[in-house]
Amino acid sequence: QVQLVQSGAEVKKPGASVKVSCKASGYTFTNYSMHWVRQAPGQRPEWMALINTDNSNTKYSQRFQGRVAITRDTSASTAYMELSGLTSEDTAIYYCARAKGPGYYLIDYWGQGTLVTVSS
Amino acid sequence: EIVVTQSPDSLVVSLGERATINCKTSQTILYSVNNKNQLAWYQQKPGQPPKLLIYRASTRESGVPDRFSGSGSGTDFTLTISSLQAEDVGVYYCQQYYTTPVFGQGTKLEI
């Protein structure tokens, strides 16, 4: 069965960076792109970025352009999201989420989420 | 960016009754290549990630009970739960994927 297992909760100070990992299993990692979506407390999910896990091509939301970097390690079936220049507005649950195909914008499976708290 | 708006923001429905949630997009999301609307519905329970219920506006994801159905085209869409069960409580989001994903603000469904 498809599983996306993310790294644990993080507490960061303003101005710092955070890197979240997402290990995939139960399917061929390079056959499906991976999205990153965040959800602030009580808010709707917000799309951040997409990586083609086969060729590592990326697409970023303009809102996060220049602050977020998405990478992947095919040998470990793992995707990574790094967000820099953190502020309290970045406190949220960060999800990796599988696209329903290569380059697809439709999401079918989600990781369990990683809570990132930004506080001085 | 396509704006996605849901109504109502919250809904209280009795067990066994029908629940209806609406979703409107600011422009058409009908993909001309396959003539399919690029609209999905997700269910989110507290402390859990969203779960895909419906895609292409009306196609049920594998394993989703048939009391869930989706309809609509162009810019106006509806999620219907035909006979509400206790486990259906949660927040429901519609999402357009015609362009990079945009979610509606959510509808909280209670018994």
Side-chain angles (χ1 to χ4, degrees), chain B residues 51-66:
Chain B
K51 173 189 173 185
L52 178 63
L53 299 175
I54 303 278
Y55 61 99
R56 291 181 173 178
S58 61
T59 301
R60 258 190 311 275
E61 176 72 333
S62 176
V64 173
D66 61 7

Side-chain angles (χ1 to χ4, degrees), chain A residues 33-108:
Chain A
S33 297
M34 192 75 77
H35 293 269
W36 288 87
V37 178
R38 79 177 187 180
Q39 189 172 28
Q43 301 300 308
R44 72 185 79 185
E46 178 179 25
W47 180 80
M48 299 177 69
L50 171 66
I51 185 166
N52 184 320
T53 50
D54 186 29
N55 59 20
S56 78
N57 284 349
T58 54
K59 187 174 181 70
Y60 297 112
S61 166
Q62 284 193 329
R63 190 160 134 73
F64 301 98
Q65 192 84 38
R67 268 211 312 142
V68 67
I70 306 295
T71 56
R72 95 300 188 224
D73 178 349
T74 56
S75 66
S77 297
T78 300
Y80 302 90
M81 186 281 299
E82 184 168 21
L83 186 64
S84 60
L86 293 170
T87 73
S88 59
E89 304 286 301
D90 294 314
T91 293
I93 298 173
Y94 289 77
Y95 293 102
C96 60
R98 194 186 78 162
K100 202 172 173 65
Y104 282 28
Y105 289 154
L106 175 63
I107 292 168
D108 59 0

Side-chain angles (χ1 to χ4, degrees), chain B residues 26-64:
Chain B
S26 59
Q27 65 187 71
T28 185
I29 53 174
L30 179 64
Y31 188 40
S32 58
V33 171
N34 59 13
N35 203 38
K36 300 291 186 184
N37 290 281
Q38 308 298 284
L39 193 283
W41 289 96
Y42 296 86
Q43 175 196 62
Q44 187 174 32
K45 298 183 179 181
Q48 296 184 19
K51 173 189 173 185
L52 178 63
L53 299 175
I54 303 278
Y55 61 99
R56 291 181 173 178
S58 61
T59 301
R60 258 190 311 275
E61 176 72 333
S62 176
V64 173

Side-chain angles (χ1 to χ4, degrees), chain B residues 55-90:
Chain B
Y55 61 99
R56 291 181 173 178
S58 61
T59 301
R60 258 190 311 275
E61 176 72 333
S62 176
V64 173
D66 61 7
R67 64 180 180 273
F68 291 92
S69 64
S71 63
S73 184
T75 62
D76 292 279
F77 303 91
T78 299
L79 173 71
T80 302
I81 308 172
S82 59
S83 177
L84 193 72
Q85 305 300 302
E87 61 265 31
D88 300 334
V89 166

